[in-house]
Amino acid sequence: MTDIASTSDSLLSAGGSHARADRIFRLGALASGLVVLIILGLIVVSTSIDAWPAFSELGTDYFFGTTWSPSEGLFGILPLVFGTIVVSAIATVLAVPVSVGIALFVTEVSTKRVGSAVNLTVDLLAAVPSVVFGLWGFYQLVPVFQPVLNSIAGLVSGIPVLRSIFGQSSGVGFMTAGTVLALMITPIVTSVSREVFMTVPHNDRLGALALGATRWEMITGVVLPHSSAGLTGAVLLGLGRAMGETVAVALLIGASPHISANLFGRGEAMPSQIFRSLSEASGTFRASLFGLGVCLFFITVLINMVARRVVAVADRRLKGA
Amino acid sequence: MAQNLVGASETNQTGATNAGAETPDQPFGGLQPSRLIPGFGETPDTAVSPLADIPGLLVDEPAPDNPTVFEVGALNVFYGEFRAVRDVTMSVREREITSFIGPSGCGKSTVLRCFNRMNDLVAGARVEGKLEYFGVDLYSERVNPVEVRRRIGMVFQKPNPFPKSIFDNVAYGPKIAGTKKKSDLEDIVERSLRQAALWDEVKDRLNSSALGMSGGQQQRLCIARAMAVDPEVILMDEPCSALDPIATARIEDLMRQLKDDYTILIVTHNMQQAARVSDATAFFSTEESAAGDRRSGVLVEFDRTDKIFSVPSDERTENYITGRFG
Ligand SMILES: Nc1ncnc2c1ncn2[C@@H]1O[C@H](COP(=O)(O)OP(=O)(O)OP(=O)(O)O)[C@@H](O)[C@H]1O
Ligand SMILES: [Mg+2]
């Protein structure tokens, strides 16, 4: 009798303290979530307040103007938006095949030991500070890159469209910044792709191989289709990183805000312009720089939303709802 | 059928039960391997040899021209240092269903995976001994494992359709084997789905995802997918273990039909299934290895299915199929 009573007592009290712990945990989680949200909101609001003069004074000239020339009082952000998009696109186009290739090698081909060596190397790449990439790019890569880019430009100089895309290079520019940026986003794209490939069911791989697929056919037939949603996520994550990257791009893009087809030429990106000019800017110029920050934020949010949508659709297609 | 002949004589002697009825008490369709058969045990052969001597009476007996597909001799499979399977010797005949039974962990899947070199894909796995396919050593340096797997298909325990449409699942194998024309692929897909008794259920939704099908449909899709490459042999590792009795019965029917064109090897934990569908049965068990404490699998007995389930020659087989062990 006493036994039963004490057992049920302890059951009750345990249940009580568990329930309390559960409640505390939930409140804690909610609170930290709210804190993050509030901080995010404050950042957006305060930056927008600082940017407001530019938005209200310049209006459409700000958002759709094609000349960014602070000395003339012209603050059209399109050249900077263009630079950011071009540089990030170059970086993504270069980084994604390499990253996916490394991830496939590690998950599908290499032995465990070689695989972890490769992983370690890639992870080390992620540990290199952005400014070091910028300095290395500027002092080591540019001298090597310039003649290469110019000889490519020479090769296509007779071909109408290519001629204007691959023009003369002064060493720094979209392509140089994009290439270094590609190196910088390779670790994140690689590790996300790796995770994605590791979620492909082993049985699906065996299924393909049992049908007489070579390893490559197994990869294209099973692993990649299975990973389309996840890889989209990886690509857009890399793109997002590339768009926000500041210091290295500032050093390598050429600080020349203009819209041009020449990928080898100079340009300017949004974060680099903020980084370069903020200390000396005032008035409308300063507000315009804050405005760049706000725009960059919304572009990144937009990309994220598109990414989520793409992933969700691909996922649904995969599950065959 | 020999099964029925032997079974009938047995039930007559026990006078107890209805041959052919399948109740849990009678796991083998009324066939109870039993010492009740006079003389069984001391001279096991006498129980069947008079029958075997009458030509054409044992219809399950292969015709003499049923050639050998696989010749296995002293096959050993190692996972690292561990010898998972020891000294397996058997021969598999064409257009027959050969089943592997035995307690869990005795190496049935391991042996099955040798037949299409799937063990190559297991890190640390090593195969020693003879395994000839129509006289060709499957483990010879000159044999291309990819080609082996194209000729010797496999159906897995868990249905594993690709995350693609039903059509693309079945067309995957022919595509990688080089069939490009849409109309050819359509023909192959229809033929394979018909063979797998799935066509009528899915013909209106060939383009919807295979993952939206039921488990039984998925397994039949996997069988269709395996047959689409026109293999010579199909290996099945517990293909019905995730299915309900109706789906299981359909797949068994399917296997009986497929037997006309294909050689089938099947691993099963369901002894009724082995008794129902297979022509030959291999009973595996584990045995303490001489070297260490880990148990390696051995082939205890390999014979015609009716013989295994009525008059097994090894006591361990009998204990296993009568449920006295594992
Ligand atoms: N990939 C592997 N690596 C190491 N050991 C393995 C591997 N696969 C199987 N084994 C071992 O080999 C032995 C035989 O395994 P196997 O899977 O062939 O048994 P099984 O008869 O198919 O069992 P079950 O009926 O449970 O499927 C077991 O002792 C198992 O632990
Ligand atoms: Mg098994």
Side-chain angles (χ1 to χ4, degrees):
Chain A
M1 190 61 214
T2 45
D3 248 351
I4 294 171
S6 66
T7 311
S8 67
D9 265 2
S10 71
L11 270 178
L12 282 178
S13 69
S17 78
H18 276 302
R20 209 173 312 130
D22 202 40
R23 207 161 45 236
I24 291 171
F25 171 75
R26 246 182 314 172
L27 282 177
L30 186 70
S32 29
L34 278 178
V35 167
V36 172
L37 221 80
I38 289 169
I39 292 177
L40 187 68
L42 285 178
I43 292 174
V44 174
V45 168
S46 66
T47 318
S48 300
I49 289 174
D50 278 325
W52 189 248
F55 295 164
S56 58
E57 279 169 36
L58 305 169
T60 52
D61 284 349
Y62 182 72
F63 294 106
F64 302 108
T66 53
T67 310
W68 176 273
S69 176
S71 54
E72 302 168 69
L74 292 173
F75 299 102
I77 64 168
L78 278 190
L80 306 177
V81 175
F82 174 82
T84 292
I85 290 176
V86 167
V87 166
S88 326
I90 292 175
T92 310
V93 165
L94 294 179
V96 165
V98 174
S99 305
V100 169
I102 296 173
L104 281 177
F105 174 77
V106 169
T107 55
E108 311 296 328
V109 183
S110 76
T111 60
K112 269 213 175 71
R113 195 182 311 173
V114 175
S116 39
V118 173
N119 286 343
L120 186 70
T121 315
V122 173
D123 290 347
L124 279 179
L125 198 62
V128 177
S130 164
V131 66
V132 174
F133 269 112
L135 291 174
W136 170 79
F138 193 79
Y139 289 105
Q140 309 295 326
L141 191 69
V142 165
V144 182
F145 227 52
Q146 187 181 7
V148 175
L149 294 184
N150 280 331
S151 64
I152 295 176
L155 278 179
V156 299
S157 61
I159 307 165
V161 177
L162 295 184
R163 180 173 52 199
S164 37
I165 298 179
F166 304 113
Q168 285 302 307
S169 164
S170 56
V172 292
F174 294 121
M175 188 55 86
T176 316
T179 307
V180 173
L181 209 44
L183 268 179
M184 297 172 67
I185 65 171
T186 292
I188 180 82
V189 181
T190 304
S191 66
V192 175
S193 309
R194 201 169 60 207
E195 299 296 319
V196 169
F197 293 146
M198 287 195 306
T199 66
V200 175
H202 189 57
N203 271 335
D204 283 26
R205 297 169 208 260
L206 292 182
L209 295 169
L211 287 168
T214 60
R215 206 194 307 252
W216 176 246
E217 287 161 347
M218 184 269 287
I219 288 171
T220 55
V222 172
V223 176
L224 292 181
H226 223 291
S227 313
S228 55
L231 284 185
T232 312
V235 169
L236 290 166
L237 196 65
L239 187 66
R241 279 284 165 92
M243 291 183 62
E245 176 47 49
T246 307
V247 180
V249 175
L251 283 165
L252 294 168
I253 197 169
S256 161
H258 68 280
I259 297 176
S260 114
N262 181 6
L263 296 186
F264 291 173
R266 292 161 171 269
E268 179 67 316
M270 301 162 82
S272 338
Q273 178 60 218
I274 301 174
F275 170 75
R276 228 187 290 282
S277 317
L278 196 58
S279 53
E280 69 215 35
S282 61
T284 314
F285 188 13
R286 185 169 175 282
S288 304
L289 292 177
F290 275 96
L292 283 177
V294 175
C295 292
L296 191 62
F297 174 76
F298 280 107
I299 293 174
T300 323
V301 168
L302 192 74
I303 287 181
N304 247 295
M305 271 160 41
V306 171
R308 271 164 202 274
R309 184 95 205 114
V310 170
V311 170
V313 168
D315 236 17
R316 207 164 332 120
R317 207 189 49 216
L318 202 72
K319 303 230 166 71
Chain B
M1 294 217 324
Q3 286 183 2
N4 289 342
L5 282 171
V6 178
S9 74
E10 178 202 335
T11 33
N12 285 346
Q13 268 147 26
T14 59
T17 44
N18 195 3
E22 283 169 18
T23 65
D25 301 340
Q26 292 180 292
F28 316 118
L31 296 173
Q32 301 254 334
S34 164
R35 293 187 184 280
L36 290 173
I37 298 170
F40 170 72
E42 297 93 40
T43 51
D45 276 346
T46 55
V48 281
S49 57
L51 300 177
D53 285 342
I54 307 169
L57 183 59
L58 297 177
V59 292
D60 277 356
E61 198 76 350
D65 58 344
N66 233 9
T68 298
V69 179
F70 291 106
E71 193 65 63
V72 184
L75 191 77
N76 287 276
V77 188
F78 298 82
Y79 292 112
E81 291 297 299
F82 170 52
R83 175 149 70 164
V85 180
R86 176 146 48 96
D87 291 334
V88 172
T89 298
M90 66 196 294
S91 59
V92 177
R93 296 215 184 96
E94 194 172 32
R95 288 188 201 139
E96 280 197 353
I97 300 179
T98 302
S99 61
F100 291 4
I101 60 171
S104 192
C106 64
K108 305 178 296 294
S109 301
T110 299
V111 171
L112 193 75
R113 283 197 298 263
C114 293
F115 287 92
N116 67 342
R117 294 196 51 173
M118 289 299 274
N119 276 333
D120 293 18
L121 307 169
V122 178
R126 187 159 48 85
V127 176
E128 281 176 7
K130 177 168 103 168
L131 208 175
E132 287 182 358
Y133 178 61
F134 288 116
V136 176
D137 175 12
L138 276 186
Y139 284 83
S140 143
E141 301 258 300
R142 290 159 48 221
V143 165
N144 174 6
V146 170
E147 181 61 24
V148 170
R149 291 183 205 122
R150 214 193 59 67
R151 289 166 182 249
I152 303 171
M154 189 162 202
V155 176
F156 296 80
Q157 174 172 2
K158 212 169 141 262
N160 57 349
F162 302 135
K164 298 170 184 265
S165 72
I166 293 170
F167 184 95
D168 287 339
N169 260 276
V170 183
Y172 178 79
K175 269 190 201 156
I176 58 174
T179 308
K180 294 214 171 59
K181 252 175 69 188
K182 187 96 202 299
S183 61
D184 290 350
L185 288 173
E186 279 166 355
D187 290 346
I188 293 174
V189 168
E190 178 170 350
R191 190 204 67 206
S192 311
L193 287 171
R194 278 189 193 283
Q195 277 182 310
L198 192 59
W199 175 251
D200 291 329
E201 284 160 70
V202 301
K203 63 176 180 234
D204 300 321
R205 50 173 182 134
L206 290 178
N207 289 320
S208 57
S209 168
L211 301 189
M213 306 167 87
S214 78
Q217 288 174 326
Q218 291 188 3
Q219 191 63 303
R220 275 179 286 148
L221 180 70
C222 292
I223 294 176
R225 186 177 70 183
M227 287 186 312
V229 289
D230 208 10
E232 293 151 12
V233 179
I234 300 179
L235 310 175
M236 299 182 169
D237 194 346
E238 300 185 43
C240 303
S241 67
L243 306 184
D244 69 43
I246 297 171
T248 302
R250 299 195 66 154
I251 290 191
E252 286 179 16
D253 282 344
L254 183 60
M255 286 192 275
R256 285 193 205 95
Q257 285 167 30
L258 294 176
K259 202 172 91 166
D260 294 340
D261 301 308
Y262 302 92
T263 305
I264 299 176
L265 281 83
I266 174 177
V267 172
T268 177
H269 273 288
N270 180 341
M271 282 182 281
Q272 301 177 43
Q273 182 171 62
R276 279 193 300 259
V277 301
S278 69
D279 303 291
T281 298
F283 170 63
F284 290 85
S285 189
T286 46
E287 203 170 70
E288 209 75 37
S289 69
D293 50 351
R294 284 192 75 178
R295 298 161 74 86
S296 32
V298 289
L299 174 60
V300 174
E301 189 170 354
F302 175 62
D303 212 326
R304 310 307 297 165
T305 297
D306 50 9
K307 177 132 185 290
I308 292 269
F309 282 101
S310 53
V311 282
S313 56
D314 195 294
E315 198 178 348
R316 288 169 293 174
T317 315
E318 190 188 339
N319 288 342
Y320 183 74
I321 60 183
T322 52
R324 259 174 273 167
F325 166 78

